[in-house]
Amino acid sequence: MLTMFGLELTEEAVYRETRTSPAPDAEAIAHRLAVAPDLVRACLDRLLELGLVRHSFEVPGGFTAVDPVLGLRQSLAGQHEELMRRQRRLAETHAEVVGLLMSGASGLSGRAEQVERLLGRDEVQSRVDRLAGEATREVLTFRPGGARSAPELMASRRNDAALLSRSVSIRTVGTDTGSYDAATLAHVRWLTGNGGQFRACAAELPHLTLVDGAVALVPADPRDPAAGALHVTDPGLVAPLLVLFEQTWSSATPLDAVRPAAGDAPSGTELALLGLVAQGCTDAAAAARLHISHRTARRIMAALMERLGARSRFEAGVKAARLGWL
């Protein structure tokens, strides 16, 4: 029934019992299901966490079911809060790593050749151009929000085109594209339209470039773009930056799911399919109720997941609820 929430069979059975009247307590549910009360209490804790049940206002110690769509919305709110905490921690981690890199550049013996300071924007851009020409596998970047100058966009287009022509993977995490001007957003869409990947993150991001998992460019002073950058090849210093990027990437949102246009609203069939899936129907069951083929239902659901930037049916339901589709 509630496959989108990832419930176990016992948890789903407990949820079903909370839909009865009067609101049952843990002992009554355990008796009906012939299972241990402690197991039922654990299931109820999980259902409370997901927002699928609540404590009864009428029966002391009783529990009553919450509509699954409301549960999706509550789950979304909890996920949003957790995402904000993770992104704040990522920003703090980056500051700590940059501090470590600065120490490496100025005071760590034996690393002088592995942490090089680049002075001024022109020197930094020259190094970016060189690294783009040398990359063989992947280029990972953080891009802060705001408009980018025409020379910057031209250099990025030239380097990115050369990388993509050599089948070098490009993954970029930027801020919410609402902070970009038209030219910068056009470049982002050009990048994704030509095989690059872009995701948006709510946290404030510093500049960061990682090449082939072996080289990093970070700001010498994140508060002063004119201060230049650090070119880092020390494996012990590059490794935490790679971890930071992957953590940020995993919690960021694909470009087309950041701010869907009004024209992206679901059709009647799509909306009906989302509603049935939110109620726990499988694609096959939903297809039968909508009088369409199972294959068509799967294709529509896959297209909806791609449009929403979702990796699972549950995530699709959460994002659909966030957009007011459910």
Side-chain angles (χ1 to χ4, degrees):
M1 175 185 173
L2 299 172
T3 54
M4 290 181 66
F5 289 89
L7 295 185
E8 301 292 339
L9 290 176
T10 305
E11 291 170 341
E12 183 172 337
V14 170
Y15 175 79
R16 288 176 181 273
E17 291 298 327
T18 63
R19 297 174 67 89
T20 62
S21 182
D25 58 19
E27 286 70 20
I29 295 173
H31 177 74
R32 294 176 191 172
L33 297 178
V35 297
D38 286 345
L39 176 58
V40 171
R41 293 189 187 95
C43 292
L44 288 168
D45 287 342
R46 168 75 170 148
L47 294 168
L48 285 166
E49 180 184 352
L50 290 171
L52 289 173
V53 303
R54 61 173 173 79
H55 294 284
S56 172
F57 296 153
E58 299 177 358
V59 180
F63 295 86
T64 185
V66 174
D67 185 281
V69 172
L70 296 178
L72 275 174
R73 291 173 178 163
Q74 291 180 24
S75 178
L76 170 64
Q79 288 189 16
H80 180 72
E81 292 178 4
E82 176 60 24
L83 176 61
M84 292 300 98
R85 284 194 293 270
R86 288 182 61 189
Q87 291 180 340
R88 284 194 295 270
R89 179 54 189 153
L90 288 173
E92 294 168 358
T93 300
H94 184 274
E96 294 169 0
V97 172
V98 170
L100 177 61
L101 293 174
M102 291 297 292
S103 298
S106 61
L108 294 179
S109 61
R111 288 182 172 174
E113 296 182 357
Q114 294 178 300
V115 181
E116 176 187 359
R117 183 156 189 167
L118 307 174
L119 302 175
R121 294 184 179 183
D122 289 338
E123 187 174 353
V124 172
Q125 186 61 52
S126 295
R127 187 61 55 90
V128 169
D129 294 342
R130 193 186 88 186
L131 291 173
E134 296 173 349
T136 61
R137 183 168 54 86
E138 67 175 5
V139 174
L140 314 175
T141 57
F142 283 164
R143 293 294 178 213
R148 297 174 66 186
S149 69
E152 285 181 293
L153 291 173
M154 290 177 61
S156 292
R157 177 74 64 92
R158 181 184 65 250
N159 288 333
D160 291 345
L163 290 164
L164 293 170
S165 71
R166 303 197 308 271
S167 299
V168 176
S169 171
I170 299 176
R171 285 190 288 154
T172 298
V173 179
T175 51
D176 187 335
T177 52
S179 68
Y180 294 169
D181 66 354
T184 302
L185 183 57
H187 173 74
V188 171
R189 294 203 174 276
W190 171 87
L191 176 66
T192 57
N194 285 274
Q197 298 180 70
F198 179 95
R199 292 186 178 183
C201 172
E204 183 176 348
L205 296 172
H207 281 282
L208 169 67
T209 301
L210 293 158
V211 179
D212 290 341
V215 179
L217 280 181
V218 298
D221 183 350
R223 297 163 297 182
D224 181 9
L230 301 179
H231 177 272
V232 184
T233 56
D234 187 310
L237 298 177
V238 174
L241 291 172
L242 288 168
V243 172
L244 176 65
F245 179 88
E246 294 298 347
Q247 290 178 336
T248 308
W249 177 264
S250 67
S251 64
T253 307
L255 174 63
D256 290 332
V258 175
R259 188 170 294 182
D264 287 338
S267 66
T269 300
E270 290 172 330
L271 188 60
L273 178 60
L274 278 170
L276 290 171
V277 169
Q279 294 171 27
C281 289
T282 64
D283 289 345
R289 293 178 63 175
L290 294 174
H291 305 290
I292 59 177
S293 69
H294 184 194
R295 178 185 231 174
T296 298
R298 284 188 301 176
R299 176 180 57 76
I300 293 173
M301 195 65 210
L304 284 167
M305 289 172 61
E306 182 176 357
R307 188 190 310 174
L308 291 163
R311 290 165 289 185
S312 68
R313 290 157 59 95
F314 171 74
E315 187 177 1
V318 169
K319 290 187 174 183
R322 178 183 181 184
L323 294 170
W325 292 357
L326 293 175

